[in-house]
Amino acid sequence: MNKRFEFNALPFDGPFDKQLLSLVVPLFNERPMLPIFFDRVLTVLATLDLRWEIVLVDDGSDDGSAQYIRSVIDRTPGVRLIKLSRNFGKEAAMTAGLEHARGDAVIVLDADLQDPPEQIPAMVECWQSGVDVVLMQRRSRAGETVFKRWSAHLFYRLLNRTSRTNIPVDTGDFRLMSRKAVSALLVLTERNRYMKGLFAWIGMPTQVIQYDREPRVAGETKWDYPGLVGLALEGLTSFSISPLRWATVIGLIAASMGAVFGLWIVVKAIMLGDATSGYPSLVALISFLGGIQLMSVGIVGEYVGKTYMESKQRPIYLTEDVVESRDGLRQQAKQKMTETRHVKAV
Ligand code: UDP
Ligand code: MG
């Protein structure tokens, strides 16, 4: 744990003719991962002919992750900790990291090493050849259940059918973005942040690299199925209003079916003198229509809710602390008083 990292690479304060690469790492309760994380990432960074910085965003961990990172900062220049005031979720944590990153290029990387840092040199090479976005596409997803793979596959396809923004299949948040791409992304100030969609929305020259997604090295995933369903709904409703249209179309279909059925009953009664035994069909109709109505109200509600959340214009995240080391000196900058006061008032 107290291993010293001594490398010849050029961190933040290296010669300024070199370009600066930022790694943005959102993390939430990843304490068991951190020693291995630093070991592997710093080894890779040491091989690059670039200045670098690692921006770790602690998304409200309560397992001592922040303390460990502080101890790394004490002995490793170029590492920075952005500590959020509570758990805001990965999307907000990534936004915080992107806002604080100063690099000419920024790579977003998970702390659990599922996005292998050994891919960084290839990503940097692509970027240096002139593209603005280097997208990492999963060739395989080791350590994930068949159901998770299958549901992810289905979700991406549904998403792309419904929205005009083409969100590439089987890509996560693991990617490199040029300064130009990051600036474009930061212009999007919406509160409901479905990052994969926002990443895709900005466009820009993109190159795809395939990689094998590794299983988590330690700790456990923060996503459970309700969480993933929530994220999926967020994705669908953030990038298209076609679910609203579906509600209208389904409503129209149900109404037409009802009308035809009604006509059929009348015709049957007149022509055949056949009095309809109404009760079972009535129950079926009422529950069918009731279901459609509730679903439609729910869909409309999703959008109304989103509009409500957006209208409050709250910040996407709040920082509690920014800790960084330059030349081995630890600098600790308390956030602006107003923000701190706001946190206390909540
Ligand atoms: N994470 C975060 N805030 C959260 C949940 C997750 O910053 O509220 C981080 C987590 O620490 C990890 C990354 O986001 O670095 C991906 O999370 P996880 O591995 O749990 O997701 P999965 O890889 O299973 O999709
Ligand atoms: Mg993971």
Side-chain angles (χ1 to χ4, degrees), residues 221-341:
T221 176
K222 308 297 173 311
W223 292 105
D224 46 8
Y225 276 105
L228 281 174
V229 170
L231 189 70
L233 273 180
E234 176 80 40
L236 283 176
T237 51
S238 289
F239 276 83
S240 112
I241 54 163
S242 24
L244 286 174
R245 233 162 269 153
W246 300 342
T248 315
V249 171
I250 294 173
L252 274 176
I253 294 173
S256 331
M257 277 165 41
V260 171
F261 188 57
L263 264 178
W264 163 240
I265 292 172
V266 172
V267 169
K268 215 164 63 157
I270 294 172
M271 311 252 300
L272 309 172
D274 183 11
T276 317
S277 56
Y279 184 68
S281 48
L282 211 61
V283 170
L285 263 181
I286 287 175
S287 39
F288 178 63
L289 289 180
I292 288 180
Q293 279 168 3
L294 281 179
M295 193 187 80
S296 311
V297 170
I299 293 176
V300 175
E302 281 282 330
Y303 288 93
V304 174
K306 275 210 151 83
T307 316
Y308 170 64
M309 296 310 276
E310 290 291 334
S311 70
K312 289 199 267 199
Q313 294 282 305
R314 286 188 182 158
I316 297 164
Y317 63 88
L318 283 179
T319 32
E320 191 185 300
D321 250 348
V322 177
V323 189
E324 74 178 306
S325 115
R326 279 209 212 170
D327 293 322
L329 282 178
R330 185 161 136 193
Q331 297 184 344
Q332 188 157 339
K334 285 272 174 215
Q335 275 305 104
K336 284 173 261 152
M337 280 304 286
T338 47
E339 280 191 6
T340 318
R341 242 184 278 132

Side-chain angles (χ1 to χ4, degrees), residues 10-23:
L10 309 165
F12 190 73
D13 282 337
F16 284 95
D17 54 336
K18 301 269 186 226
Q19 285 180 304
L20 176 66
L21 172 72
S22 304
L23 298 191

